[in-house]
Amino acid sequence: MAKAYINELQGHVGRDVTISGWVVTTRSSGKIAFLVLRDGTGYLQAVFAKKEVPEEVWNAFGTLTQETTVAVTGTVREEPRSPGGYELTATGLEVLAPGGEFPITPKEHGTQFLFEHRHLWLRSRRQVAIAKVRHAIIQGIHDFFDQRSFTHVDTPILTGSIGEQAGELFATDYFDLGKAYLAQTGQLYVEAAAAALGKVYCFGPTFRAEKSKTRRHLTEFWMVEPEVAFNDSDANMRLQEEFLSFIVARALERCREPLKELERDTARLETIVPPFPRITYSDAIAKLQAEGSDIKWGSDLGADDETALSKDSEKPLFVMNYPKEVKAFYMKENPADPRTVLNNDCLAPEGYGEIIGGSQREDDHDKLLQRIVAQGLDPSGYTWYLDLRKYGTFVHSGFGLGVERTVAWITGIPHIRETIAFPRQIHRLYP
Ligand code: 4AD
Ligand code: MG
């Protein structure tokens, strides 16, 4: 019997196939029985008629419970009313393994329980839908950069120099060399690669020992970081808006069913096309103050400030030129206002907040060294990074997009912990 996957049934109409998968639900009238089956590529209803199938098949159907592993044989029929467009007129059923008392039933479970059973919860419709959208977004990210002649560069996860914030490092003993840190960013390394390859990006897991228990923070998350030689801050923002528009369009194109499963209002995503609005940090502070906030010029924007700024915006919003003191050492000083830097955050609409942090990099050797010292970092760890400003320095910019925050926004789910298969949070290391 031909083996088939549920998402390939269009090529098998009228033919007999065997599909292996897991039981989602069963229901029977006594004469006719329905099995909804899942194989990872989709969902399929198999219909068993008591009069038409051998008795042992009918009896085997009676033993099925949620998550029983089965191989179902039958004839593929077109069925416009079913979600995938096909149904199986079943002739055979083999029980491959019992489902046991599956802990995650269709009833409501608490968040704590679900995360303790994350390894099983992954099988539920909603989690499968989120995983499909995440995959499409990641594939879209690689395709976007490939189409624009970027070279993908893998940067190290074990590093000796601090990339972002000294207080948020995971450290580990590294042989005779003292401490190694888990990378907070691949940026410093892609800056070196940009001088070799022009347009580059890294894409990997990054680590922040942040004690934040918000819906936007994980201790391990995936970040894509493009870096482009001869792009200034303005070109950097144009790249970001084209990039975000591309991956939203990709999700809409390839994930119609998963987005429907997640009840995403896709009309909110159809409007994501360049250009995106821009506001300076100073204007953003004035706007927040006018709305009654007591925020002062010089403080970083918090999650609530970001939500307030972006809640009425249909498109993502660029906030530019933050004060030097609240941003990382590598950002280029703004010649028009040296209190600030040539950077931008990009805030997703619908209150999702920052999904991108980007900037033009300080390309002047002495200014960069001053900033490293001013931030209390040890310059000896940055000799190689400073070398980039000694040997053929160049205007360059880049940004980092957090995959989980982007998936949360595009799928419309409230918390980023469901956007990755096995989330890592301060209080979660299991499973
Ligand atoms: O703004 P961040 O810290 O920027 C950087 O790391 C730069 N080196 C990027 C660059 O210019 N190459 O982080 C970038 C993005 C944030 O906008 C957010 O989407 C995500 O990474 N992010 C987190 N996501 C989940 N949990 C956390 N704890 C995150 N911290 C940052
Ligand atoms: Mg940031």
Side-chain angles (χ1 to χ4, degrees), residues 118-356:
R118 183 67 175 161
H119 50 298
L120 303 177
W121 184 27
L122 287 180
R123 304 181 191 188
S124 72
R125 277 185 190 263
R126 177 182 155 89
Q127 299 308 317
V128 167
I130 295 169
K132 297 283 183 192
V133 179
R134 180 182 171 107
H135 169 79
I137 289 171
I138 290 173
Q139 189 59 43
I141 289 170
H142 285 296
D143 290 347
F144 176 87
F145 290 121
D146 187 56
Q147 286 170 18
R148 282 164 181 74
S149 305
F150 281 64
T151 303
H152 181 198
V153 174
D154 293 311
T155 53
I157 287 174
L158 290 167
T159 65
S161 18
I162 300 168
E164 294 288 328
Q165 218 90 66
E168 300 174 354
L169 290 162
F170 288 107
T172 181
D173 292 330
Y174 196 80
F175 307 105
D176 296 334
L177 298 181
K179 292 277 178 230
Y181 305 110
L182 296 185
Q184 296 175 313
T185 170
Q187 179 197 321
L188 308 195
Y189 298 98
V190 279
E191 286 187 56
L197 297 155
K199 296 190 271 187
V200 295
Y201 70 105
C202 61
F203 195 169
T206 44
F207 305 86
R208 307 262 170 112
E210 279 179 276
K211 293 231 166 65
S212 321
K213 284 194 200 161
T214 77
R215 56 178 65 199
R216 298 175 186 179
H217 289 87
L218 297 172
T219 56
E220 176 178 329
F221 63 96
W222 284 70
M223 179 158 57
V224 54
E225 295 181 273
E227 192 70 31
V228 183
F230 310 114
N231 258 13
D232 62 10
S233 181
D234 179 65
N236 194 35
M237 282 185 273
R238 281 187 276 118
L239 181 65
Q240 290 166 52
E241 61 199 10
E242 284 172 24
F243 172 62
L244 278 179
S245 303
F246 181 95
I247 59 180
V248 168
R250 175 60 71 88
L252 286 170
E253 177 193 319
R254 298 207 178 165
C255 299
R256 221 189 303 259
E257 281 300 324
L259 290 171
K260 206 165 123 197
E261 173 67 37
L262 295 163
E263 296 174 356
R264 181 63 165 116
D265 176 4
T266 49
R268 301 294 302 260
L269 298 175
E270 309 275 358
T271 59
I272 310 300
V273 286
F276 297 169
R278 298 178 182 192
I279 183 175
T280 62
Y281 165 88
S282 296
D283 288 348
I285 294 294
K287 187 168 181 234
L288 291 168
Q289 287 170 342
E291 287 170 5
S293 163
D294 54 11
I295 192 166
K296 303 266 181 319
W297 197 99
S299 342
D300 203 359
L301 300 178
D304 293 343
D305 305 313
E306 290 178 0
T307 301
L309 288 170
S310 60
K311 67 180 186 316
D312 300 328
S313 176
E314 274 204 343
K315 295 191 197 182
L317 171 70
F318 289 125
V319 184
M320 316 177 291
N321 308 136
Y322 281 63
K324 241 183 221 168
E325 276 65 36
V326 301
K327 289 292 176 188
F329 65 91
Y330 52 70
M331 296 187 182
K332 188 168 180 61
E333 190 176 280
N334 178 7
D337 178 359
R339 295 176 307 162
T340 66
V341 284
L342 293 177
N343 82 309
N344 74 271
D345 277 359
C346 181
L347 313 183
E350 301 172 64
Y352 278 91
E354 181 199 334
I355 53 171
I356 290 181

Side-chain angles (χ1 to χ4, degrees), residues 353-426:
E354 181 199 334
I355 53 171
I356 290 181
S359 62
Q360 189 171 329
R361 319 307 189 185
E362 185 53 77
D363 48 54
D364 180 277
H365 177 278
D366 295 349
K367 279 196 168 143
L368 181 60
L369 178 58
Q370 268 171 29
R371 294 280 292 140
I372 289 171
V373 173
Q375 297 222 350
L377 299 167
D378 176 4
S380 69
Y382 296 90
T383 309
W384 69 270
Y385 186 65
L386 286 158
D387 272 355
L388 306 176
R389 280 73 182 167
K390 267 201 203 156
Y391 305 108
T393 194
F394 57 114
V395 167
H396 61 291
S397 301
F399 61 89
L401 170 95
V403 168
E404 290 73 20
R405 290 190 191 175
T406 305
V407 175
W409 164 49
I410 292 178
T411 55
I413 66 174
H415 201 304
I416 71 169
R417 65 194 168 190
E418 278 182 62
T419 65
I420 185 163
F422 294 99
R424 292 291 165 249
Q425 297 173 275
I426 326 178

Side-chain angles (χ1 to χ4, degrees), residues 82-134:
S82 86
Y86 303 94
E87 246 182 26
L88 206 66
T89 304
T91 52
L93 170 65
E94 194 184 342
V95 174
L96 302 175
E101 298 256 335
F102 197 68
I104 301 177
T105 57
K107 72 170 180 100
E108 291 274 315
H109 296 283
T111 304
Q112 183 66 18
F113 179 87
L114 289 170
F115 278 100
E116 288 291 313
H117 294 86
R118 183 67 175 161
H119 50 298
L120 303 177
W121 184 27
L122 287 180
R123 304 181 191 188
S124 72
R125 277 185 190 263
R126 177 182 155 89
Q127 299 308 317
V128 167
I130 295 169
K132 297 283 183 192
V133 179
R134 180 182 171 107

